[in-house]
Amino acid sequence: MEKKKRIVIALGGNALGNTLPEQQLAVRTTAKAIVDLIEEGYEVIVTHGNGPQVGMINSAMIALTHEDSSQPNTPLSVCVAMSQAYIGYDLQNALREELSNRAITSIPVVTMITQVRVEEQDPAFQTPTKPIGKFMTATQAEEVARKYQYIMKEDAGRGYRRVVASPRPVEIIEIDTIRTMVNSGNLVIACGGGGIPVTRHGRHLQGASAVIDKDFASCLLAKELDADSLVILTAVEKVAINFGRENETWLDRLSVKEAEAYLAQGHFASGSMLPKVQAAIDFTSSKSNRTAIITLLEKSREAIQGKTGTVFYT
């Protein structure tokens, strides 16, 4: 029997919605797209972001401390863990239901609460840039900064938000368990929200006040699982250069060299397409015959068939 091609799919925010009701609706569509690929004969591993969700959980935990002064503030790493379970709960149930609807009963679905190690010396900790949580007035931001030692920054005239570090992932702590589950035929959801950020201190893993970019974590997971393809799903069908300008050009295929040249020219926005392109380059160049694809969720099957999306190759 021919070995199935292994694909890591990194779900963007549009696959999950921004609120609990939106998420419960969104995961149904997401599940259909993922099970389409399973029916095509691919072995799929799922990762996802947690942007709105982790901010919502963090805000809820802050509200709790205001209501009950005996409640300590909840570390961001714990909020990430909560988001993994909260999203995984809806996503795995939607996938299980969709598999059952298509009479596929041989694939168990599981969410792996995943810790991802970062380096304590990562320069990202010195210059936090990742905004999370709700917008606040200057007065509210000053109070939160004083009470919780948060770093607050003004965000494009819309108010103040907390910013946290976004260090690079260097090790997936539960990788052996994830690999065993995948090799046993499970449909695994792992590295949610980029993983729970931890630093190693001897035998102890300590949660870090950070949010890991899910595209970089997905790239690391795909390499560790020896995947054939990394599929990064986002809000556009293809990658573009000169995005939003008169000479905007959508790209069907990108060699690693071409992509690196466009990076150097500053074509991709940080916090948006930049990490996706960087992750795609990293994975594609890590081993021969690996490809990365950036596209829309609803176009994922067509993209893997080579009909759309931006394909990265060596």
Side-chain angles (χ1 to χ4, degrees):
M1 182 182 294
E2 186 180 352
K3 183 177 179 289
K4 290 183 178 181
K5 284 196 172 183
R6 181 172 288 182
I7 300 172
V8 170
I9 294 183
L11 300 174
N14 59 324
L16 299 171
N18 294 306
T19 65
L20 177 57
E22 284 184 14
Q23 179 171 297
Q24 290 173 330
L25 287 173
V27 293
R28 295 178 189 173
T29 302
T30 300
K32 286 180 170 62
I34 292 170
V35 178
D36 281 347
L37 297 176
I38 292 170
E39 280 196 324
E40 291 278 334
Y42 296 103
E43 185 179 65
V44 177
I45 301 96
V46 179
T47 71
H48 60 79
N50 69 346
Q53 293 86 356
V54 74
M56 179 180 64
I57 291 167
N58 184 238
S59 296
M61 293 300 100
I62 290 174
L64 177 62
T65 66
H66 291 161
E67 292 175 9
D68 183 352
S69 59
S70 68
Q71 289 285 349
N73 190 37
T74 305
L76 184 56
S77 56
V78 175
C79 294
V80 174
M82 290 178 178
S83 76
Q84 285 190 356
Y86 155 54
I87 294 168
Y89 164 61
D90 278 342
L91 189 53
Q92 73 182 23
N93 282 343
L95 285 165
R96 187 177 288 112
E97 184 175 340
E98 186 62 28
L99 287 165
S100 179
N101 288 343
R102 304 193 199 190
I104 302 173
T105 58
S106 59
I107 302 178
V109 187
V110 62
T111 298
M112 184 72 207
I113 302 303
T114 316
Q115 300 174 95
V116 175
R117 185 173 67 83
V118 298
E119 296 286 4
E120 199 171 13
Q121 315 310 325
D122 191 304
F125 284 109
Q126 306 305 315
T127 55
T129 57
K130 185 82 170 178
I132 66 165
K134 65 181 183 179
F135 290 97
M136 301 182 190
T137 65
T139 302
Q140 290 170 327
E142 186 178 344
E143 180 184 352
V144 168
R146 176 183 53 78
K147 188 171 183 179
Y148 303 116
Q149 287 74 56
Y150 287 173
I151 298 173
M152 308 295 293
K153 288 187 178 178
E154 198 273 335
D155 188 343
R158 296 177 293 177
Y160 289 79
R161 294 177 80 189
R162 181 186 180 189
V163 291
V164 298
S166 186
R168 291 295 184 104
V170 295
E171 179 187 4
I172 298 168
I173 302 300
E174 287 77 20
I175 189 61
D176 289 338
T177 305
I178 295 168
R179 187 181 291 113
T180 297
M181 289 193 296
V182 170
N183 290 342
S184 298
N186 291 268
L187 172 50
V188 181
I189 303 161
C191 292
I196 303 163
V198 296
T199 55
R200 191 185 297 279
H201 301 267
R203 296 179 181 177
H204 177 65
L205 295 173
Q206 180 176 321
S209 185
V211 174
I212 301 168
D213 191 291
K214 71 102 172 46
D215 298 314
F216 294 136
S218 301
C219 173
L220 179 58
L221 179 65
K223 289 192 290 186
E224 290 285 351
L225 293 177
D226 196 22
D228 298 287
S229 295
L230 170 64
V231 180
I232 299 174
L233 302 178
T234 186
V236 292
E237 187 169 344
K238 299 178 183 180
V239 176
I241 54 173
N242 301 309
F243 184 73
R245 302 174 188 168
E246 288 184 4
N247 57 342
E248 175 182 271
T249 304
W250 298 96
L251 306 170
D252 297 319
R253 290 174 59 81
L254 260 181
S255 71
V256 166
K257 286 186 178 180
E258 290 170 331
E260 288 174 337
Y262 289 139
L263 277 180
Q265 294 164 18
H267 278 284
F268 310 117
S270 61
S272 178
M273 190 56 73
L274 178 61
K276 294 171 177 54
V277 171
Q278 289 173 323
I281 290 171
D282 186 356
F283 177 74
T284 304
S285 59
S286 62
K287 189 177 179 180
S288 62
N289 297 320
R290 284 180 172 171
T291 58
I293 301 168
I294 298 177
T295 193
L296 284 166
L297 169 70
E298 54 268 31
K299 297 286 186 177
S300 52
R301 178 163 57 178
E302 291 91 334
I304 289 171
Q305 293 170 343
K307 297 176 181 178
T308 190
T310 301
V311 178
F312 290 74
Y313 64 95
T314 51

